[in-house]
Short mmCIF file of all heavy atoms in Angstrom, two decimals:
data_model
loop_
_atom_site.label_atom_id
_atom_site.label_comp_id
_atom_site.label_asym_id
_atom_site.label_seq_id
_atom_site.Cartn_x
_atom_site.Cartn_y
_atom_site.Cartn_z
N VAL S 205 -11.64 17.16 -2.04
CA VAL S 205 -10.48 16.94 -1.18
C VAL S 205 -10.21 18.20 -0.36
O VAL S 205 -10.10 19.30 -0.91
CB VAL S 205 -9.22 16.60 -2.00
CG1 VAL S 205 -8.07 16.26 -1.07
CG2 VAL S 205 -9.48 15.45 -2.96
N ASN S 206 -10.08 18.03 0.95
CA ASN S 206 -9.74 19.14 1.86
C ASN S 206 -8.87 18.58 2.98
O ASN S 206 -9.32 17.73 3.75
CB ASN S 206 -11.02 19.74 2.45
CG ASN S 206 -10.73 20.96 3.31
OD1 ASN S 206 -9.82 21.72 3.04
ND2 ASN S 206 -11.51 21.14 4.36
N ASP S 207 -7.63 18.88 3.10
CA ASP S 207 -6.82 19.83 2.36
C ASP S 207 -5.97 19.11 1.33
O ASP S 207 -5.21 18.21 1.67
CB ASP S 207 -5.96 20.61 3.36
CG ASP S 207 -5.19 21.75 2.75
OD1 ASP S 207 -4.30 21.49 1.93
OD2 ASP S 207 -5.48 22.91 3.07
N ALA S 208 -6.09 19.50 0.06
CA ALA S 208 -5.45 18.78 -1.02
C ALA S 208 -3.93 18.85 -0.93
O ALA S 208 -3.24 17.87 -1.21
CB ALA S 208 -5.91 19.34 -2.36
N ALA S 209 -3.38 19.99 -0.53
CA ALA S 209 -1.92 20.13 -0.46
C ALA S 209 -1.33 19.23 0.62
O ALA S 209 -0.24 18.66 0.44
CB ALA S 209 -1.54 21.59 -0.20
N VAL S 210 -2.01 19.09 1.74
CA VAL S 210 -1.54 18.22 2.81
C VAL S 210 -1.51 16.77 2.35
O VAL S 210 -0.54 16.04 2.57
CB VAL S 210 -2.43 18.37 4.06
CG1 VAL S 210 -2.08 17.33 5.11
CG2 VAL S 210 -2.30 19.78 4.65
N LEU S 211 -2.57 16.33 1.69
CA LEU S 211 -2.65 14.93 1.25
C LEU S 211 -1.67 14.63 0.13
O LEU S 211 -1.22 13.50 -0.03
CB LEU S 211 -4.07 14.59 0.82
CG LEU S 211 -5.08 14.51 1.96
CD1 LEU S 211 -6.46 14.15 1.44
CD2 LEU S 211 -4.64 13.49 3.01
N ALA S 212 -1.35 15.63 -0.68
CA ALA S 212 -0.40 15.42 -1.79
C ALA S 212 1.05 15.48 -1.33
O ALA S 212 1.96 15.26 -2.14
CB ALA S 212 -0.64 16.46 -2.87
N TYR S 213 1.28 15.73 -0.05
CA TYR S 213 2.65 15.91 0.48
C TYR S 213 3.46 14.61 0.40
O TYR S 213 4.64 14.63 0.11
CB TYR S 213 2.57 16.41 1.93
CG TYR S 213 3.92 16.57 2.59
CD1 TYR S 213 4.73 17.66 2.31
CD2 TYR S 213 4.38 15.62 3.51
CE1 TYR S 213 5.97 17.82 2.91
CE2 TYR S 213 5.62 15.76 4.12
CZ TYR S 213 6.40 16.87 3.81
OH TYR S 213 7.63 17.01 4.41
N THR S 214 2.82 13.47 0.64
CA THR S 214 3.53 12.20 0.63
C THR S 214 3.58 11.63 -0.79
O THR S 214 2.83 12.05 -1.68
CB THR S 214 2.85 11.18 1.55
OG1 THR S 214 1.55 10.89 1.04
CG2 THR S 214 2.75 11.70 2.96
N THR S 215 4.46 10.64 -0.99
CA THR S 215 4.55 9.98 -2.29
C THR S 215 3.24 9.32 -2.66
O THR S 215 2.76 9.43 -3.80
CB THR S 215 5.67 8.92 -2.27
OG1 THR S 215 6.91 9.56 -1.97
CG2 THR S 215 5.79 8.23 -3.62
N ALA S 216 2.62 8.63 -1.70
CA ALA S 216 1.34 7.97 -1.96
C ALA S 216 0.26 8.98 -2.30
O ALA S 216 -0.52 8.81 -3.25
CB ALA S 216 0.93 7.13 -0.76
N GLY S 217 0.20 10.07 -1.53
CA GLY S 217 -0.81 11.09 -1.79
C GLY S 217 -0.62 11.76 -3.13
O GLY S 217 -1.58 12.03 -3.85
N GLY S 218 0.65 12.03 -3.48
CA GLY S 218 0.92 12.63 -4.79
C GLY S 218 0.50 11.73 -5.92
O GLY S 218 0.05 12.20 -6.98
N ALA S 219 0.62 10.41 -5.73
CA ALA S 219 0.21 9.45 -6.76
C ALA S 219 -1.30 9.39 -6.91
O ALA S 219 -1.81 8.95 -7.95
CB ALA S 219 0.76 8.07 -6.42
N ALA S 220 -2.03 9.82 -5.88
CA ALA S 220 -3.50 9.79 -5.95
C ALA S 220 -4.05 10.90 -6.83
O ALA S 220 -5.10 10.73 -7.47
CB ALA S 220 -4.08 9.90 -4.54
N LEU S 221 -3.38 12.03 -6.87
CA LEU S 221 -3.91 13.18 -7.61
C LEU S 221 -4.22 12.88 -9.07
O LEU S 221 -5.30 13.23 -9.57
CB LEU S 221 -2.97 14.38 -7.51
CG LEU S 221 -2.98 15.15 -6.19
CD1 LEU S 221 -1.98 16.30 -6.23
CD2 LEU S 221 -4.38 15.69 -5.89
N PRO S 222 -3.31 12.24 -9.82
CA PRO S 222 -3.65 11.95 -11.23
C PRO S 222 -4.86 11.02 -11.39
O PRO S 222 -5.56 11.10 -12.40
CB PRO S 222 -2.37 11.27 -11.77
CG PRO S 222 -1.28 11.69 -10.85
CD PRO S 222 -1.94 11.83 -9.51
N LEU S 223 -5.11 10.19 -10.40
CA LEU S 223 -6.24 9.26 -10.48
C LEU S 223 -7.57 9.98 -10.42
O LEU S 223 -8.54 9.59 -11.07
CB LEU S 223 -6.17 8.23 -9.36
CG LEU S 223 -4.93 7.33 -9.31
CD1 LEU S 223 -5.02 6.37 -8.12
CD2 LEU S 223 -4.76 6.56 -10.61
N ILE S 224 -7.63 11.05 -9.61
CA ILE S 224 -8.92 11.74 -9.43
C ILE S 224 -9.04 13.02 -10.25
O ILE S 224 -10.13 13.61 -10.32
CB ILE S 224 -9.19 12.05 -7.95
CG1 ILE S 224 -8.12 12.97 -7.37
CG2 ILE S 224 -9.32 10.77 -7.14
CD1 ILE S 224 -8.42 13.48 -6.00
N THR S 225 -7.94 13.48 -10.86
CA THR S 225 -8.00 14.70 -11.67
C THR S 225 -7.94 14.41 -13.16
O THR S 225 -8.01 15.33 -13.97
CB THR S 225 -6.86 15.67 -11.30
OG1 THR S 225 -5.59 15.04 -11.50
CG2 THR S 225 -6.99 16.12 -9.86
N ARG S 226 -7.79 13.14 -13.55
CA ARG S 226 -7.84 12.80 -14.97
C ARG S 226 -9.23 13.13 -15.50
O ARG S 226 -10.23 12.70 -14.93
CB ARG S 226 -7.54 11.31 -15.16
CG ARG S 226 -7.59 10.83 -16.59
CD ARG S 226 -7.02 9.43 -16.70
NE ARG S 226 -7.76 8.47 -15.90
CZ ARG S 226 -8.75 7.71 -16.37
NH1 ARG S 226 -9.14 7.84 -17.63
NH2 ARG S 226 -9.36 6.84 -15.60
N PRO S 227 -9.32 13.89 -16.59
CA PRO S 227 -10.64 14.28 -17.09
C PRO S 227 -11.48 13.07 -17.50
O PRO S 227 -11.07 12.25 -18.31
CB PRO S 227 -10.31 15.14 -18.33
CG PRO S 227 -8.92 15.64 -18.08
CD PRO S 227 -8.23 14.53 -17.35
N ILE S 228 -12.64 12.94 -16.87
CA ILE S 228 -13.59 11.88 -17.19
C ILE S 228 -14.97 12.53 -17.36
O ILE S 228 -15.38 13.33 -16.51
CB ILE S 228 -13.64 10.82 -16.08
CG1 ILE S 228 -12.31 10.06 -16.00
CG2 ILE S 228 -14.79 9.84 -16.31
CD1 ILE S 228 -12.29 8.97 -14.94
#
Side-chain angles (χ1 to χ4, degrees):
V205 185
N206 184 34
D207 187 294
V210 172
L211 289 181
Y213 178 77
T214 64
T215 301
L221 283 179
L223 300 179
I224 61 171
T225 59
R226 179 169 61 94
I228 293 181

